[in-house]
Amino acid sequence: MLLRAALLLLVLLLPTLSARAGQLDRAALEKYFPPPLVVGEKDDRLPVWPILKQQAGAYEVFAYAFESVDLAPIPGFGGTPPDLLIALAPDGTFRDVKVIAHHEPVFLEGLGSEPLFAFVEQYAGLSARQAIRVGRPNARAAGAAPQTTVDGISMATASTRVINQSILASALAVARAKLGFGAANVGLKVEARADLYEPLTLADLVARGWVGRLTVTNAHAASAFKGTGVEDRAEGRPDAVLTDLIVAYLNVPTIGRNLLGEVRYDALMRELGPGNHAVMVISAGPEDAPENPIGDRFVLGAVPERLAVGQGGLIVNARDMAVERRDAGRAEGLPPGPWTILRIDQAAGFDPSAAWVLAETIVRERGQILSEKIARAFPVETKLPADLFTRVRPEDGPNWTDPWRARGPELGLIGLMLAVLVPVLSRQRGLVADGRRFALFRLGFLALTLGFVGWYAQAQLSIVTLVGLVRAATVSHDLAFLLYDPPSLVLWVFALAALVAWGRGTFCGWLCPFGALQEFVALLARPLRIRQLAVPARLDRALRPVKYVVLVGILGAAAAGSPLADTVSEVEPFKTAITLSFVRSWPFVAYAAGLLVLNLFVYKGFCRYLCPLGAGLALLGRARILDWIPRRAECGSPCQLCKVRCRYGAIAPSGRIDYAECFQCMECVTIIHDPEQCVPQVVARKRAHRAAPRPVTVG
């Protein structure tokens, strides 16, 4: 009846609830971007706000601001997407990331939101062109690449992966629309083939188009500046050279080794590092060329003001490498003029196997009092053959595949545990029939459940997942959040399959870490001389429905979009005792500890009377197809041994098993297969012994 009421409530609420949208207007954004920054007009096609900054008398785009929930509403483990304010610079780097709202259970009244705030701050300065991954806590300090890795948060691995995916997916949506690049090159790794080398002269390389040459004469400049009033500023003949540059991509051995020599090339590649790129620019014009950008004013180690590398209509960040100029070892035949080697970092998303340009900007001034600067760019394109490179595409598939690969060892051990558990429970005349050996096996398995599944793998199943499912059904209509926590998902699939075969008890009695913790605490009752209480039958019957009322209340609040769902879910102590290992504020610790103390007197009282997850599993377990616990005709009448021994109260006086309350401890199965314990077998054996003729002594 209670389940029908909960389902009816969900059906009624489904049409009225819609997916969340961004909540920030111009006034709210101005608080995040105060003067001298200015919030521009919201884009007509995309929910993006340009953030402007005054530069040289004009406003330039400082960043594009947007909310992740508008562009990538990926549900978190609370069932609703996190809402993040992201500021993306025109070059594709993150200016800032802020948390606007979230419903991640591990941070709500758990770790607190501060670790989450610190987590998203790591994205400032990283590039959306890179495939950024969440590492382990302190991964950067341990040597992980700081350009492609952010430190994870202990006990919040799955939630941080959802946050990371939300940031990257929404940023790439903006990048495709505003910055001219998208997901195609994110994570793409292009490297020059080291095994290809051919001795060639500079003239050969230029003839093949592998080395570019940019020559700008007075006539070319006049044509570019035509109509501006400054086209005739150059002195000399029309064919006089203003600038003459040689441009070469050095990573390719046939280019770099021929231009630099083998020793200098090898040294440069070591200094450059894997994944990065080097472009050489040499001035080949006369020393007095008026527009030479690499003259005496060039600052070593700086970003050249008048030189720019571009690809796909986007400027690529390139900086002088400050290579030692003395004894540089340049090959013979190169012009003697000034030169630079520009470094392009891997994070820039530069693809040397595709066409790219180097452009020199020439600036002229017009007017004497209020002068106006007029600039024109003169590009030279380089297109190298694709077979000079190896290209490694980003791994196919959505980013939820990353945690499955990263947690492979944990999944392997969990799979082994389940593979061992199934035959042990299904072949009852094997290990289960031996009371002593089975008791040792059960304690060992529960120790793995508590220590490995719970505290290490963080795979404690919880009502929070059901809350997330309800919110996904009513708000986001997306169940992808389940894929970011592989161990929990595997256990959910197994638990649901076990419901059909055996009922609730497989999870509650074997795979619940908090349930295992209660069983170990209960072992202290005997040495502490604590006598566990038997709950009177009438009180037991009155208390059992409470967990169903709690379940309906939580799911109803979730369906109604009420934050009470998160609050009431704290009736579960799982987050405190297992996920956070009791590292939490004292009221939550006191509550969890109180339930464990109660367990010393009333065996698994929380599981039997309060647990909403257990209630949900018990309801679903009514689809069970097997009555798998063996019974005898004498069970219940006259034998009551199994009923007396059952600490869960799952056996009725008639001997019938109440599978909704059975925790599959298997003690009754051990008894019924043990001829020394099972009363009908003991009685039958005694009767047979009395009926047998006794030997008579003849004197």
Side-chain angles (χ1 to χ4, degrees), residues 105-170:
V106 71
F107 297 113
L108 294 173
E109 299 293 343
L111 295 173
S113 293
E114 287 74 15
L116 179 57
F117 297 158
F119 172 78
V120 300
E121 288 175 359
Q122 298 178 87
Y123 287 84
L126 301 185
S127 175
R129 297 173 180 271
Q130 287 291 104
I132 301 172
R133 300 179 183 274
V134 179
R136 294 186 177 276
N138 301 316
R140 291 181 171 186
Q147 300 93 351
T148 58
T149 307
V150 291
D151 292 340
I153 302 175
S154 179
M155 299 176 286
T157 302
S159 290
T160 52
R161 291 185 188 277
V162 171
I163 298 289
N164 180 63
Q165 177 71 351
S166 300
I167 293 172
L168 295 183
S170 58

Side-chain angles (χ1 to χ4, degrees), residues 379-392:
V380 57
E381 182 179 87
T382 299
K383 179 67 173 72
L384 297 174
D387 57 8
L388 295 178
F389 302 90
T390 59
R391 295 168 58 90
V392 179

Side-chain angles (χ1 to χ4, degrees), residues 360-398:
E360 178 185 354
T361 300
I362 296 178
V363 181
R364 292 180 176 178
E365 292 190 16
R366 180 174 60 189
Q368 296 182 349
I369 300 176
L370 295 176
S371 62
E372 178 185 2
K373 292 184 177 181
I374 301 174
R376 293 292 184 268
F378 297 85
V380 57
E381 182 179 87
T382 299
K383 179 67 173 72
L384 297 174
D387 57 8
L388 295 178
F389 302 90
T390 59
R391 295 168 58 90
V392 179
R393 285 282 179 187
E395 294 160 341
D396 294 333

Side-chain angles (χ1 to χ4, degrees), residues 153-474:
I153 302 175
S154 179
M155 299 176 286
T157 302
S159 290
T160 52
R161 291 185 188 277
V162 171
I163 298 289
N164 180 63
Q165 177 71 351
S166 300
I167 293 172
L168 295 183
S170 58
L172 288 174
V174 173
R176 284 192 292 269
K178 293 292 185 182
L179 308 183
F181 72 91
N185 285 339
V186 173
L188 177 66
K189 187 177 182 181
V190 182
E191 292 185 344
R193 292 181 55 180
D195 59 329
L196 296 181
Y197 172 72
E198 181 182 357
L200 295 173
T201 65
L202 175 61
D204 293 334
L205 293 170
V206 172
R208 289 189 179 188
W210 291 14
V211 169
R213 188 154 191 171
L214 172 64
T215 303
V216 180
T217 64
N218 285 337
H220 293 142
S223 176
F225 283 100
K226 185 177 181 179
T228 63
V230 293
E231 56 266 30
D232 298 326
R233 293 295 172 87
E235 298 179 358
R237 302 187 315 274
D239 60 349
V241 175
L242 283 177
T243 184
D244 189 6
L245 302 178
I246 291 176
V247 181
Y249 178 75
L250 295 179
N251 293 53
V252 173
T254 299
I255 301 174
R257 287 176 61 184
N258 282 315
L259 296 186
L260 299 180
E262 185 172 350
V263 174
R264 183 56 198 161
Y265 171 78
D266 291 342
L268 177 67
M269 290 300 105
R270 288 194 300 270
E271 182 179 351
L272 188 65
N276 303 314
H277 311 277
V279 173
M280 190 173 197
V281 183
I282 307 174
S283 176
E287 294 184 6
D288 58 349
E291 297 295 347
N292 178 19
I294 320 173
D296 296 336
R297 297 180 181 179
F298 185 81
V299 179
L300 301 185
V303 177
E305 292 184 2
R306 291 177 50 195
L307 295 177
V309 177
Q311 189 170 55
L314 199 65
I315 298 300
V316 177
N317 186 35
R319 180 182 297 273
D320 177 73
M321 284 187 66
V323 173
E324 175 59 55
R325 263 47 176 175
R326 294 172 297 178
D327 301 323
R330 288 190 296 150
E332 294 182 5
L334 289 181
W339 56 274
T340 179
I341 295 179
L342 303 176
R343 173 192 173 100
I344 302 174
D345 285 340
Q346 177 179 323
F350 179 66
D351 179 3
S353 67
W356 57 277
V357 299
L358 181 130
E360 178 185 354
T361 300
I362 296 178
V363 181
R364 292 180 176 178
E365 292 190 16
R366 180 174 60 189
Q368 296 182 349
I369 300 176
L370 295 176
S371 62
E372 178 185 2
K373 292 184 177 181
I374 301 174
R376 293 292 184 268
F378 297 85
V380 57
E381 182 179 87
T382 299
K383 179 67 173 72
L384 297 174
D387 57 8
L388 295 178
F389 302 90
T390 59
R391 295 168 58 90
V392 179
R393 285 282 179 187
E395 294 160 341
D396 294 333
N399 281 358
W400 55 259
T401 58
D402 291 342
W404 286 83
R405 287 189 293 269
R407 306 192 74 176
E410 298 166 33
L411 293 172
L413 183 51
I414 290 175
L416 180 61
M417 291 175 62
L418 301 180
V420 170
L421 181 61
V422 169
V424 166
L425 299 183
S426 58
R427 298 180 63 185
Q428 297 176 5
R429 290 191 176 275
L431 183 62
V432 178
D434 188 321
R436 182 181 296 275
R437 287 195 302 157
F438 181 71
L440 293 175
F441 170 80
R442 179 168 170 77
L443 287 176
F445 195 95
L446 291 178
L448 271 177
T449 296
L450 175 59
F452 175 73
V453 175
W455 284 329
Y456 181 81
Q458 295 284 289
Q460 168 75 68
L461 303 191
S462 169
I463 190 64
V464 169
T465 304
L466 299 185
V467 170
L469 290 174
V470 171
R471 285 175 171 160
T474 56

Side-chain angles (χ1 to χ4, degrees), residues 30 33-38:
E30 287 174 345
F33 303 101
L37 298 176
V38 176

Side-chain angles (χ1 to χ4, degrees), residues 6 13 31 75 83 95 134 202 285 294 339 481 493 560 616 629:
L13 288 169
K31 295 179 181 179
D83 190 9
R95 296 282 192 192
V134 179
L202 175 61
I294 320 173
W339 56 274
F481 70 94
V493 172
I629 296 179

